[in-house]
């Protein structure tokens, strides 16, 4: 018997028990052939509806399996008869309520081998033909509220009225939008998330209705949200405190008892505790209980950092060569409420001893800072010896860091070749540092902007009264990160200037030099800048540096490892008159490690006419 005859016989047999077709969605019922026939399925529908049916339709998934390419007739008939109704149900989730679906079968005389070495069997093609009809769109959407939010708004509470307005305006399925099941669920979830984030932790839908007019392809939405009570801060319970005093932690609180208990407030509080560097882990938790809504207890679980911690480090840099570093941290220095960080560094051209003190938080929240440093560094043919001390106060927010400090420093420079001293200057200055960040990730940014400004004014002192006088200093750095398709791009601009009479001496460390891995690549650290009549390096009073860089993943879909190209330009000069920027450009490798970006660059300095290798870890703000 031919395949066509088998189809006809099977069809006649299957017509009796088949259900009556839906007049709005005519379906041509075909039967399966005996088991010595193989079957394939073709779905004729617009994308992405075709992909939806291929992924979820039982008939499609059954025939897609290699083990079921030769389908039993009874099973195929069941799946085939159910396919149109199942397809229409799937299409309704995409807002296609008037879809027409039918199936057809055809024998093209083709034969395929199902089992290796087995006989070639006749192949029958099944077609699922879909006429999706118009896309159903939202005609109207109405959201009403009940519970504490509604009562507060009716009584004139402006914050409650604003929240209601925000919920309505942010509703995703507005008039004209396609109505789909995923969109409907997502919009409802987003509105509840908004209410819960604004203090109504037990908000829920008391009723939602979507009235669909399939003939007009329109949907009318009506929803009622029960806000539940407005939760407010009650007792804050701290767990895990030992050497950190509770008043230091309370100083970081960004709320008072009775304030609305909002999700953003809790997140900011947790972020403050994390940034304090006093704790290894921080968890702020609450269990909403409507009976306690007026004074909801919040539990803060903390794990303090070790009281003391020492680190020994070995490394190498292109600026100072091999180095060994010893660092010690104490979380409660001499029993006082101060964190102490002591650093000793020994390198080929850089030796340093430093003590940084930071108080535990005070209300504001502010932290007092104190520091002392002694350093001897060699660069650009100069040996620079620095002693400094500072006292100040800092305040850190999620995006903004501020630091005010009074600084004393003495800087002595000596020419390495002949040992002669060419500068010995002392200065006392008052300074303000401001760092703003709007980044998607502070360690590994891919989008956003950072801006840092440092200003200061003071008095310098030197051996001769003629060279003593007032000065001011200002520097700024702007960095932008952006995604351009598969590329990770960044650009930065840095400007600086010292304001003082030409005769007034300013310490070398407050003047400017350029060059190095975070300045103009292709040149050594501080190689760029003015020189005196003897050809010895001196500090410049103006600085300008710009850089553009683009990185591309080395493997598709894996941004952790990237290749990069870059161009840097800039210089430090005695004045803006005759300012002459130099170029550096090259290629590099990037590894976005968990502790920051590791950069390895091969740069060509156009003025120096040589290649130089640079490497660094992390980013500078």
């Amino acid at each position: 018997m031919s395949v066509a005859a088998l189809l006809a016989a099977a069809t006649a047999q299957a017509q009796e028990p088949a259900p009556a077709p839906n007049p709005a969605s005519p379906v041509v019922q075909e039967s399966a052939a005996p088991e010595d026939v193989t079957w394939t399925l073709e779905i004729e529908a617009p994308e992405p509806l075709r992909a939806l049916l291929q992924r979820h339709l039982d008939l499609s998934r059954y025939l897609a399996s290699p083990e079921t390419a030769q389908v039993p007739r009874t099973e195929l008939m069941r799946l085939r008869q159910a396919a149109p109704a199942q397809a229409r149900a799937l299409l309704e989730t995409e807002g296609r309520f008037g879809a027409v679906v039918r199936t057809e079968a055809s024998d093209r005389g083709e034969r395929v081998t199902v089992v290796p070495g087995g006989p070639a069997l006749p192949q029958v093609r099944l077609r699922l033909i879909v006429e999706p009809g118009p896309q159903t769109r939202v005609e109207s959407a109405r959201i009403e509220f009940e519970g504490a939010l509604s009562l507060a708004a009716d009584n004139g509470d402006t914050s409650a009225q604003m929240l209601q307005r925000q919920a309505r305006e942010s509703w995703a399925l507005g008039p004209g939008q396609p109505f789909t099941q995923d969109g409907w669920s997502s919009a409802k979830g987003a509105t509840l998330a908004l209410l819960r984030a604004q203090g109504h932790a037990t908000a829920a839908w008391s009723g939602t209705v979507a009235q669909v007019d399939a003939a007009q392809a329109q949907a009318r939405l009506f929803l009622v949200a029960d806000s539940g009570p407005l939760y407010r801060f009650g007792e804050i319970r701290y767990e895990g405190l030992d050497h950190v005093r509770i008043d230091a932690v309370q100083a970081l609180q960004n709320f008072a008892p009775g304030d609305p208990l909002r999700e953003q407030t809790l997140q900011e509080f947790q972020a403050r505790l994390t940034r304090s560097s006093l704790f290894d882990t921080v968890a702020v938790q609450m269990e909403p209980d409507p009976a306690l809504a007026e004074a909801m207890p919040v539990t803060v679980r903390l794990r303090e950092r070790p009281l003391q911690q020492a680190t020994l480090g070995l490394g190498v840099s292109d600026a100072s060569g091999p180095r060994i570093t010893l660092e010690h941290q104490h979380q409660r220095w001499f029993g006082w409420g101060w964190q102490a960080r002591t650093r000793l560094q020994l390198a080929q051209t850089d030796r340093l001893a430093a003590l940084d003190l930071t108080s535990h938080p005070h209300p504001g929240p502010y932290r007092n800072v104190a520091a002392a440093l002694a350093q001897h560094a060699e660069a650009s043919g100069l040996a620079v010896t620095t002693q400094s001390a500072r006292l100040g106060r800092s305040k850190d927010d999620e995006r903004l860091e501020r630091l005010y400090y009074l600084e004393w420093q003495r800087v002595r420079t000596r020419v390495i070749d002949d040992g002669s001293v060419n500068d010995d200057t002392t200065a006392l200055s008052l300074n303000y540092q401001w760092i703003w960040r709007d980044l998607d990730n502070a360690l590994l940014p891919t989008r956003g902007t950072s801006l840092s400004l440092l200003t200061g004014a003071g008095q310098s002192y030197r051996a001769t009264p003629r060279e003593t006088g007032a000065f001011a200093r200002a520097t700024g750095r702007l960095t932008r990160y952006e995604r351009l398709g598969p590329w990770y791009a960044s650009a930065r601009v840095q400007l600086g200037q010292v304001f003082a009479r030409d005769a007034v001496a300013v310490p070398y460390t407050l003047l400017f030099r350029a060059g190095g891995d975070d300045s103009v690549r292709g040149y050594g650290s501080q190689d760029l800048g003015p020189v005196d009549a003897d050809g010895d390096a001196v500090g410049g009073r103006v600085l300008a540096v710009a850089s553009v860089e683009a990185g591309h993943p080395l493997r598709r879909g894996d941004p952790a490892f990237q290749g990069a190209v870059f161009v840097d330009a800039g210089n430090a000069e005695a004045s803006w008159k005759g300012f002459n920027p130099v170029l550096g450009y090259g290629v590099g490798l990037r590894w976005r490690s968990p502790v920051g970006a590791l950069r390895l660059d091969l740069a060509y300095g156009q003025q120096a006419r040589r290649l130089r290798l640079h490497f660094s870890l992390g980013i500078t703000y």
Side-chain angles (χ1 to χ4, degrees), residues 170-227:
S170 63
W171 174 254
L173 282 183
Q177 292 295 318
F179 179 76
T180 66
Q181 186 63 46
D182 284 347
W184 174 237
S185 299
S186 177
K188 291 189 293 183
T191 299
L192 288 185
L194 172 63
L195 297 177
R196 292 168 181 171
Q198 294 300 315
H200 298 276
T202 52
W205 294 110
S206 58
T208 62
V209 176
Q211 296 178 336
V212 176
D213 185 343
Q216 298 296 321
Q218 292 180 340
R220 291 180 291 275
L221 312 180
F222 180 71
L223 308 94
V224 179
D226 182 356
S227 69

Side-chain angles (χ1 to χ4, degrees), residues 4 16 25 37 64 104 113 131 141 169 322 328 342 393 423 439 444 453 484 514 522 562 597:
E16 296 181 2
S25 303
V37 178
E104 294 180 357
T113 300
E131 298 175 18
E169 291 176 351
H328 178 264
T342 306
R393 170 170 281 194
D423 185 36
L439 303 171
L444 300 168
L453 300 172
L484 303 174
Q562 299 178 11

Side-chain angles (χ1 to χ4, degrees), residues 252-595:
L252 296 173
Q253 291 181 189
N254 54 339
F255 53 85
D259 286 351
L261 203 164
R262 297 188 172 95
E263 181 179 332
Q264 183 177 357
T265 305
L266 287 178
Q267 290 176 346
E268 290 178 355
F269 179 46
Q270 183 165 325
R272 287 185 176 189
L273 292 170
T274 302
R275 288 197 308 270
S276 71
S277 71
L278 293 167
F279 308 102
D280 280 334
T281 60
V282 177
V284 180
Q285 301 172 336
M286 73 158 188
E287 295 293 336
D289 183 348
L292 302 175
E294 287 300 315
M296 185 67 203
V298 176
T299 301
V300 182
R301 292 186 172 88
L302 303 165
R303 188 175 74 184
E304 297 176 333
R305 289 189 174 182
L307 184 61
Q308 298 190 60
Q309 188 172 5
T311 305
L312 177 65
L314 300 175
V316 61
S317 73
D318 62 322
S320 59
R323 67 175 181 270
I324 181 171
T325 303
L326 177 62
E327 183 173 312
H328 178 264
Q329 295 186 2
H330 200 296
Q331 296 294 91
R332 196 173 177 83
W333 196 54
F334 287 103
W336 302 338
W338 288 76
Q339 294 172 281
R341 179 178 176 227
T342 306
R343 289 176 295 145
L344 297 174
Q345 178 174 295
L346 179 62
Q348 185 176 347
T349 59
D350 191 353
R351 297 185 293 278
L352 175 145
L355 173 63
D356 295 310
L357 298 174
T358 304
S359 73
H360 291 186
H362 295 287
Y366 286 95
R367 306 182 75 170
N368 297 322
V369 296
L373 176 143
Q375 183 177 20
H376 179 85
E378 298 177 5
S380 303
L382 294 178
V384 182
T385 302
T386 305
Q387 295 106 30
S388 68
R390 69 170 57 172
L391 290 172
R393 170 170 281 194
S394 68
K395 182 176 182 179
D396 295 353
D397 295 325
E398 184 178 0
R399 294 186 178 182
L400 188 60
E401 296 179 14
R402 284 154 289 187
L403 173 63
Y404 317 80
Y405 62 94
L406 179 68
E407 183 173 52
W408 169 91
Q409 58 180 304
R410 179 187 178 187
V411 182
R412 184 173 182 265
T413 62
R414 177 175 55 84
V415 179
I416 296 176
D417 289 342
D418 58 18
S420 61
V421 175
N422 64 354
D423 185 36
D424 191 348
T425 305
T426 301
L428 183 66
S429 61
L430 183 63
N431 302 272
Y432 172 59
Q433 180 174 315
W434 183 90
I435 300 176
W436 173 79
R437 291 187 292 265
D438 183 14
L439 303 171
D440 58 352
N441 187 302
L443 280 179
L444 300 168
T446 61
R447 281 192 176 92
T449 304
S450 69
L451 175 63
S452 64
L453 300 172
L454 174 60
T455 61
Q459 184 82 11
S460 67
Y461 303 90
R462 209 173 185 185
T464 61
R466 185 182 67 83
E467 295 177 320
T468 295
F471 70 92
R473 183 178 188 269
T475 64
R477 180 185 178 114
L478 175 66
T479 307
R480 175 67 186 177
Y481 301 90
E482 195 58 72
R483 284 285 302 275
L484 303 174
W487 292 87
Y488 293 74
S490 65
R492 59 178 165 87
V493 177
Q494 184 178 5
L495 298 172
Q497 183 168 358
V498 171
F499 303 90
R501 291 183 293 107
D502 290 342
V504 173
V506 178
Y508 179 82
T509 53
L510 295 179
L511 299 173
F512 301 108
R513 302 286 297 179
D517 54 71
D518 197 43
S519 180
V520 183
R521 286 162 286 189
Y523 306 87
S525 177
Q526 301 187 27
D527 275 359
L528 300 176
V531 295
D532 60 17
D534 297 325
D536 298 322
V538 295
R541 298 203 173 195
V542 298
L543 170 76
V545 174
S547 175
V548 176
E549 179 176 306
H552 193 284
L554 298 177
R555 293 180 295 181
R556 179 177 297 180
D558 182 10
F561 295 92
Q562 299 178 11
V565 293
F566 59 86
V567 178
D568 300 339
N571 211 337
E573 297 279 10
S575 68
W576 293 117
K577 185 178 180 179
F579 184 85
N580 181 32
V582 301
L583 286 176
Y585 40 84
V587 297
L589 295 175
R590 304 287 180 268
W591 176 36
R592 296 169 60 82
S593 76
V595 295

